[in-house]
Amino acid sequence: MSHPLVAVTMGDPAGIGPEIIARVFADPAVHRENRAVVVGDARILERAAEVVGTDLRINAVSGPEEAAFEPGSVDVISPTRLPRDLPFGELDARAGAAAFEYLRLATELALEGRVRAIATAPLNKEALHLAGHRYPGHTEILAELTSTRDYAMMLVADNLRVIHASTHVSLREAIERVREERELAVIRLAHEALLRLGFNRPRVAVAGLNPHAGESGLFGSEDAEHIAPAVDRARQEGIEASGPWPPDTVFMRAARGEFDIVVAQYHDQGHIPVKLSGFDAGVNVTVGLPFFRTSVDHGTAFDIAGTGKASPSSLRAALNLARSLAFSELRSEEG
């Protein structure tokens, strides 16, 4: 069976993305376990290799078909040529434009079947906006580029998996988005994602929106009016869904093995328990796209960019999970 090819996007070149990529690809295990190419800037990656103190060789290629996958080197598709003195850790429209182009090109390669999955280093939303790309983040860009309507963010850290009904919106808007059809769509996405991960019968727990999941209407009506009916409909479809559960205990129960995944109602409700569970090893998976996309579960960390201190653990985990997801799909296609 052939090994699936993964594209790794550099993210914002002024952040820690180039440094964590250099650290990951300098690890000999990456070449034994993965076939991956970087979509980024070759000159910036050369600088990053110097910053982290590795002799990693940068091999510029025009497409994934030219990748050599030689130990001690990294193959880079380089659509930009940024100056080597691009300031570390500063907002820069050039960096925002470059980060968007890396993601756009990697998406094109995935849609064409030239790569099987994408793993993304972090971009900076403000830099993205300075470049004229008004998106909240990676997920929304990918959804537009692939014309995907139903999608969600899933976070994975150790034995805890969380999928979000909403992410990069205000808390007020997140509450307004708690509606039966959206809840059912996310439950379905959770179920389908875990089936692709090899779970025979995924146990999907749905967190409530309000304290104690509303406690029979004492603390709000959304849980009873919108979440519970979606859970009932999912169960009628054969999905092992349950809830809404009190949000202050459901994540702990999932981490202990009672559930396989939790549907969180808004960004912080899901992110806080995942980051407490495993900040350095957390992986973000976009569910619902026509290809697999994983990402680090941290930002550009401008405060330490250029110091060589950034941990590559989350990117390594994201790359490994992208490879695993793509391999599972390939194995299924080949029977």
Side-chain angles (χ1 to χ4, degrees), residues 59-325:
N59 178 37
V61 297
S62 61
E65 297 80 10
E66 295 182 7
F69 309 114
E70 295 176 349
S73 70
V74 58
D75 300 292
V76 184
I77 303 169
S78 188
T80 61
R81 186 174 175 79
L82 295 167
R84 277 182 60 94
D85 61 354
L86 182 78
F88 290 109
E90 295 183 14
L91 289 172
D92 194 309
R94 294 171 297 176
F100 180 86
E101 177 57 21
Y102 305 149
L103 187 60
R104 188 206 62 77
L105 178 54
T107 301
E108 180 181 296
L109 294 173
L111 290 174
E112 292 173 352
R114 297 166 70 189
V115 299
R116 278 276 180 172
I118 298 174
T120 58
L123 53 72
N124 185 284
K125 299 176 184 62
E126 290 183 71
L128 198 66
H129 292 175
L130 285 176
H133 301 295
R134 308 295 295 186
Y135 296 93
H138 271 115
T139 305
E140 293 79 10
I141 297 172
L142 287 161
E144 181 169 304
L145 291 175
T146 60
S147 300
T148 300
R149 188 175 69 88
D150 286 333
Y151 60 90
M153 175 190 293
M154 180 173 73
L155 299 181
V156 180
D158 296 329
N159 60 339
L160 181 60
R161 301 166 202 85
V162 177
I163 191 168
H164 294 69
S166 68
T167 49
H168 299 123
V169 297
S170 70
L171 185 55
R172 184 184 300 278
E173 184 174 342
I175 294 170
E176 294 173 352
R177 290 192 181 193
V178 176
R179 295 295 181 266
E180 183 178 335
E181 291 304 321
R182 175 58 179 169
E183 296 294 321
L184 180 59
V186 176
I187 293 170
R188 288 169 174 160
L189 288 169
H191 176 73
E192 292 164 4
L194 292 200
L195 287 176
R196 296 172 82 176
L197 281 170
F199 288 78
N200 291 325
R201 188 168 177 79
R203 298 166 296 170
V204 182
V206 182
L209 173 68
N210 296 299
H212 302 185
E215 197 159 310
S216 301
L218 290 176
F219 307 131
S221 61
E222 294 87 356
D223 298 275
E225 292 181 358
H226 301 292
I227 300 176
V231 172
D232 290 341
R233 288 174 63 186
R235 293 180 65 85
Q236 291 170 16
E237 294 178 5
I239 298 173
E240 193 169 328
S242 61
W245 296 105
D248 58 350
T249 56
V250 67
F251 299 98
M252 175 188 65
R253 294 171 65 187
R256 290 177 176 177
E258 192 172 338
F259 307 115
D260 297 313
I261 189 168
V262 179
V263 175
Q265 296 304 323
Y266 53 92
H267 184 280
D268 285 9
Q269 187 188 65
H271 276 62
I272 291 172
V274 170
K275 291 189 174 183
L276 281 171
S277 176
F279 184 83
D280 288 336
V283 179
N284 174 352
V285 183
T286 305
V287 177
L289 299 174
F291 53 81
F292 295 108
R293 177 259 175 167
T294 64
S295 177
V296 296
D297 186 28
H298 59 71
T300 48
F302 275 177
D303 57 324
I304 60 170
T307 68
K309 296 179 181 178
S311 170
S313 298
S314 187
L315 180 62
R316 185 181 293 112
L319 178 55
N320 288 340
L321 182 57
R323 178 205 68 219
S324 177
L325 289 167

